[in-house]
Amino acid sequence: MYTHHYHQRADLVRIAIRAMSERALEPEFSARALQQLDSITGPARETDAAIRDLTGLLWCSIDNDDSLDLDQLTASEALSHGRVRLWVAIADVDAVVKKGSAIDEHAQANTTSVYTSACIFPMLPPRLSTDLTSLNYNEDRLALVTEMVFNADASLAGATVYRARVRNKAKLAYDAVSAWFDGKGALPAAAQAVPGMEGQLCTQDALAQNLRVRRHLEGSLELETFQPRAVFKGEQVVDIALQAHNRARQLIEEVMVATNGCTARFLAAHGGASLRRVVRSPERWLRIVAVAKDYGETLPNEPDSKALEDFLAKRRRIDPLRFPDLSLVIVRLMGSGEYVVETPASPAIGHFGLAVRDYTHSTAPNRRYPDLITSRLVKAALQGKPAPYTNAELGALALHCTRQENSAQKVERRMRKSEAALVLESHLGQHFDALVTGCTDRGVWVRIFSPPADGKLVAGDGHLKVGDKVRVKLLSTDVERGFIDFAVAV
């Protein structure tokens, strides 16, 4: 374990608040939003005959150990001939947070929850996002449900979208469920307590793995990014841990990708505009081709996600140690995702990284504003009402959401640097094994393995190149600015 002597959680919270303000993100809710919150007495209750009662299904949530803002539930049924029926319920946040309200204005301003290890800046007040609009255990909640039927080969046979009332029967966590999938742990107690839940989880896992194989055959990219997270003991940061991408996370990822695709196609079928999440075909594709050539591989001169995925999969097998750094290079060359408005008549841009044509963000309305927008569009389509947003409004929101989401990601990256500097500030002069991750005219950067952290090599860089292993000495840390400086050990 790693301890420190100077900075604590409160310092990270202060730095995070400053970083939020510097990026034009609001760290606190307005007085008007808090006043509206006081007027909300409970979860949404509606008696619309179109709202189905699905509280009897074996719904469960799978999320992080400490997650309280539960956006989605899953339930499944094994059908004949290897087919599977899958239900995905998404919290109906709009039933409580109406467009144009004070709380909605705050959500629209930030457009996303910002997650740092020391504190969370929620898009919605915690009393909503972790309670009244969260799909909490053993509570009846309104939801938008996507019901899908998959064939034995994981191809989609059909899907419907409707409103329903649901009840979470088991609140589960990624790591415990994945350990059980892998035969390294027992079925979590919350699942054991629900007859039939074990079989459902097995069905969903098998479906997700088949969906995963199918997507990768079509060119979906499997990248591995470096995202360390501070570990606290009381108010002290004592370690940094890397988040494992395990089978339970893959399960939720696959069913969410499927749900987002169905939502996009549902809105298109109803003739309306939608807010799509896209990753364009890389303009710097030839740079990616050059990267592959450095590894002795040849990619076509035109963007080809399947060829790129084959290259990445091979590199992961050959050199897993350096794969996160290759992934980061590819992510930067591909460019970041963005929100755009698409109509049934406009050409689809698609999501290059996921190798899908139709994709929107719809599965996390407690945490992302585009998902709340999409929820309102879907509800209007279901009720045969005009869309709650004009195309011009959607266009402005697409630009705003893209900008704010990028700002939130910069805050989160900035805080990971300060967290690492805090952990290391009591280890000055110590030596670490490292990997060179970047060489530019601005300097040489390295990643140490234990604890996992990035820093700059400020002395003795010599003739190092990306991918070299090197022994380094920690020279200095700056928690306030998130700087970590190393020298080559002699």
Side-chain angles (χ1 to χ4, degrees):
M1 302 294 282
Y2 297 86
T3 59
H4 68 90
H5 305 296
Y6 310 110
H7 291 81
Q8 298 189 42
R9 182 194 291 261
D11 296 295
L12 292 177
V13 173
R14 172 179 51 78
I15 295 169
I17 291 172
R18 186 178 67 213
M20 289 280 288
S21 298
E22 289 173 351
R23 295 290 179 183
L25 295 166
E26 298 177 6
E28 296 181 352
F29 293 93
S30 68
R32 289 181 59 247
L34 295 176
Q35 183 178 17
Q36 180 191 350
L37 181 65
D38 288 339
S39 70
I40 300 173
T41 58
R45 307 289 185 193
E46 296 185 26
T47 57
D48 189 333
I51 299 174
R52 306 185 192 184
D53 185 358
L54 297 185
T55 55
L57 290 180
L58 297 186
W59 297 103
C60 72
S61 60
I62 310 177
D63 215 311
N64 292 312
D65 290 333
D66 55 355
S67 290
L68 299 175
D69 47 352
L70 305 180
D71 281 299
Q72 68 267 334
L73 306 177
T74 57
S76 59
E77 176 188 13
L79 304 174
S80 60
H81 306 296
R83 297 183 305 152
V84 173
R85 188 186 311 278
L86 179 71
W87 293 269
V88 176
I90 305 301
D92 187 354
V93 174
D94 172 68
V96 176
V97 181
K98 298 300 183 183
K99 181 190 176 193
S101 65
I103 292 175
D104 183 64
E105 287 176 357
H106 177 89
Q108 182 175 320
N110 282 2
T111 78
T112 183
S113 293
V114 182
Y115 294 89
T116 76
S117 295
C119 62
I120 297 172
F121 300 95
M123 185 183 79
L124 301 176
R127 181 166 166 260
L128 298 186
S129 60
T130 68
D131 185 7
L132 302 183
T133 59
S134 177
L135 301 179
N136 287 354
Y137 169 71
N138 209 30
E139 296 283 353
D140 286 3
R141 292 286 186 265
L142 292 177
L144 282 170
V145 172
T146 302
E147 181 180 332
M148 297 164 275
V149 174
F150 293 93
N151 295 314
D153 63 355
S155 60
L156 183 65
T160 55
V161 179
Y162 49 84
R163 300 184 71 196
R165 191 173 295 105
V166 300
R167 183 185 301 143
N168 188 350
K169 303 297 176 62
K171 182 179 183 294
L172 305 173
Y174 288 127
D175 291 348
V177 172
S178 189
W180 174 65
F181 283 156
D182 294 334
K184 298 177 181 178
L187 179 68
Q192 291 185 37
V194 182
M197 186 62 73
E198 177 178 1
Q200 281 219 118
L201 289 172
C202 288
T203 297
Q204 292 177 35
D205 175 52
L207 172 62
Q209 291 303 312
N210 287 337
L211 287 169
R212 187 176 180 80
V213 169
R214 188 178 184 89
R215 281 202 307 116
H216 287 307
L217 288 174
E218 294 172 353
S220 177
L221 306 182
E222 186 168 358
L223 299 161
E224 183 179 320
T225 54
F226 179 68
Q227 293 189 341
R229 181 174 180 175
V231 178
F232 289 88
K233 184 177 181 180
E235 292 302 302
Q236 289 190 331
V237 182
V238 295
D239 202 357
I240 299 178
L242 288 175
Q243 179 177 282
H245 190 63
N246 54 41
R247 272 174 63 182
R249 292 182 185 277
Q250 291 171 1
L251 188 163
I252 296 302
E253 178 181 293
E254 293 304 326
V255 300
M256 294 308 115
V257 169
T259 302
N260 284 328
C262 289
T263 303
R265 289 187 291 273
F266 170 85
L267 289 172
H270 281 75
S274 61
L275 197 62
R276 300 288 182 101
R277 180 65 175 178
V278 304
V279 173
R280 299 177 186 273
S281 182
E283 292 182 0
R284 291 182 287 180
W285 175 257
L286 292 180
R287 291 280 304 279
I288 295 176
V289 172
V291 169
K293 187 176 181 180
D294 289 340
Y295 290 92
E297 300 292 336
T298 301
L299 293 179
N301 288 329
E302 295 298 324
D304 186 327
S305 61
K306 180 64 175 65
L308 179 56
E309 167 54 18
D310 290 343
F311 162 65
L312 291 171
K314 183 177 180 180
R315 295 310 308 171
R316 179 194 290 271
R317 291 193 304 271
I318 293 174
D319 194 356
L321 180 66
R322 294 173 176 81
F323 187 71
D325 305 299
L326 172 60
S327 294
L328 182 58
V329 170
I330 298 301
V331 167
R332 287 172 174 168
L333 291 175
M334 283 177 53
S336 58
E338 61 185 293
Y339 295 99
V340 302
V341 179
E342 287 193 9
T343 65
S346 64
I349 297 171
H351 195 298
F352 185 85
L354 295 175
V356 293
R357 177 183 177 278
D358 301 303
Y359 194 73
T360 188
H361 271 173
S362 67
T363 58
N366 276 307
R367 317 178 198 193
R368 285 190 309 234
Y369 197 67
D371 305 55
L372 181 52
I373 293 172
T374 296
S375 175
R376 290 169 177 156
L377 294 172
V378 169
K379 288 173 67 175
L382 286 171
Q383 296 164 1
K385 296 180 178 179
Y389 300 92
T390 66
N391 288 3
E393 285 177 315
L394 286 176
L397 285 167
L399 292 173
H400 175 67
C401 289
T402 298
R403 182 173 60 248
Q404 295 299 80
E405 187 172 292
N406 288 340
S407 294
Q409 290 172 353
K410 289 175 182 176
V411 170
E412 292 170 353
R413 286 197 298 268
R414 166 70 178 77
M415 292 311 300
R416 286 197 292 270
K417 293 178 180 179
S418 285
E419 291 157 9
L422 191 155
V423 168
L424 288 169
E425 68 178 345
S426 62
H427 296 268
L428 297 183
Q430 293 187 13
H431 295 82
F432 301 88
D433 290 323
L435 194 70
V436 177
T437 58
C439 295
T440 72
D441 54 2
R442 293 184 295 113
V444 176
W445 280 262
V446 298
R447 170 165 57 90
I448 63 173
F449 303 113
S450 181
D454 290 308
K456 188 175 183 180
L457 202 59
V458 297
D461 53 0
H463 300 287
L464 292 172
K465 61 183 182 299
V466 172
D468 283 351
K469 290 183 180 180
V470 63
R471 187 78 172 165
V472 297
K473 178 181 178 180
L474 178 61
L475 294 183
S476 65
T477 64
D478 186 332
V479 176
E480 296 294 327
R481 296 190 296 171
F483 290 175
I484 302 172
D485 290 341
F486 297 100
V488 172
V490 295

